[in-house]
C-alpha cells in the first residue's frame, strides 16, 4: 500500500489517498480446436469460489508472454507454444497500479498435470474446460465475473472473430453472401 497526498485538477487536496501497488498480470485465453481451460478456485478477497481465465503475476525477469506460458502450465497443465498479446488494460485505475496483459494462443494443448503452488492447491484450484462458444454465455450469465477475466475474454472473443478467416469458421457460422 502507498499513501499519497493528491491535488485534484480543481485544486482540492486529498490527504491519505491509498493506492495498492501491485505487479502486472498476464491473463491467457488458450485454445485447442474449440475449447479452452478456465480455472475454478477459492478467492479470499470475495470469499467465493470463482471461475476465471488462467492468470498470474509477471515476475521482474519475465515478459508478459513468458508469464502467461508459465501461469497457464502451472494452473492448467496446458502448454501454449505461441502467445499473442492483443492488448492491455488497467485492473482498477482508481486504486491499483498494475496493468493486465491479455494473451491468446490458438495452438495450446493439455500437456500433463498442473504444477500448483501451495496456495493454489489449498484453494482447490481445478481446471474446467469449456467450448469457445460457451464462453460468451458464461460471461453473460455472470458465471465468469472477475473483472480481468471478463475484460480479457470479451477482448479475446472480438479479436478472434476479427482475425479468423471465413474458411476457418464452421459452416453454420459463415456469413451468407448479400
Amino acid at each position: 500500500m502507498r499513501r499519497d497526498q493528491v491535488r485534484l485538477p480543481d485544486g482540492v487536496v486529498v490527504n491519505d489517498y491509498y493506492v495498492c501497488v501491485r505487479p502486472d498480470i498476464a491473463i491467457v485465453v488458450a485454445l485447442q480446436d474449440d475449447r479452452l481451460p478456465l480455472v475454478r478456485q477459492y478467492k479470499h478477497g470475495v470469499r467465493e469460489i470463482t471461475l476465471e481465465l488462467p492468470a498470474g503475476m509477471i515476475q521482474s525477469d519475465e515478459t508478459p508472454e513468458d508469464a502467461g506460458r508459465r501461469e497457464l502450465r502451472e494452473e492448467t497443465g496446458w502448454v501454449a507454444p505461441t502467445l499473442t498479446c492483443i492488448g492491455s488494460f488497467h485492473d482498477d485505475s482508481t486504486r491499483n497500479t498494475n496493468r493486465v496483459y491479455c494473451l491468446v494462443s490458438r495452438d495450446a494443448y493439455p500437456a500433463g498435470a498442473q504444477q500448483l503452488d501451495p496456495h493454489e492447491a489449498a484453494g482447490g484450484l481445478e481446471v474446467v474446460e469449456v467450448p469457445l462458444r460457451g464462453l460468451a454465455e458464461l460471461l453473460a450469465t455472470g458465471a465468469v465475473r472477475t473483472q480481468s477475466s471478463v475484460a480479457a475474454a470479451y477482448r479475446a472473443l472480438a479479436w478472434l472473430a476479427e482475425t479468423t478467416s471465413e474458411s476457418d469458421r464452421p459452416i453454420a457460422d459463415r456469413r451468407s453472401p448479400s
Side-chain angles (χ1 to χ4, degrees), residues 25-76:
I25 301 293
I27 190 164
V28 182
V29 176
L31 299 171
Q32 181 187 49
D33 300 324
D34 188 36
R35 64 188 177 118
L36 70 149
L38 298 175
V39 293
R40 180 178 290 136
Q41 61 187 315
Y42 176 76
K43 293 288 185 146
H44 187 70
V46 294
R47 296 182 179 176
E48 291 182 15
I49 294 174
T50 63
L51 185 61
E52 306 174 358
L53 291 167
M57 293 185 294
I58 300 172
Q59 305 298 324
S60 62
D61 62 338
E62 290 181 311
T63 65
E65 293 82 4
D66 292 338
R69 268 188 204 86
R70 178 181 49 76
E71 288 291 339
L72 181 67
R73 179 73 174 100
E74 289 173 4
E75 292 185 0
T76 69

Side-chain angles (χ1 to χ4, degrees), residues 4-24:
D4 293 343
Q5 181 183 61
V6 180
R7 181 176 303 277
L8 299 175
D10 67 359
V12 170
V13 174
V14 177
N15 292 308
D16 299 333
Y17 189 94
Y18 291 93
V19 176
C20 185
V21 179
R22 298 180 55 200
D24 290 344

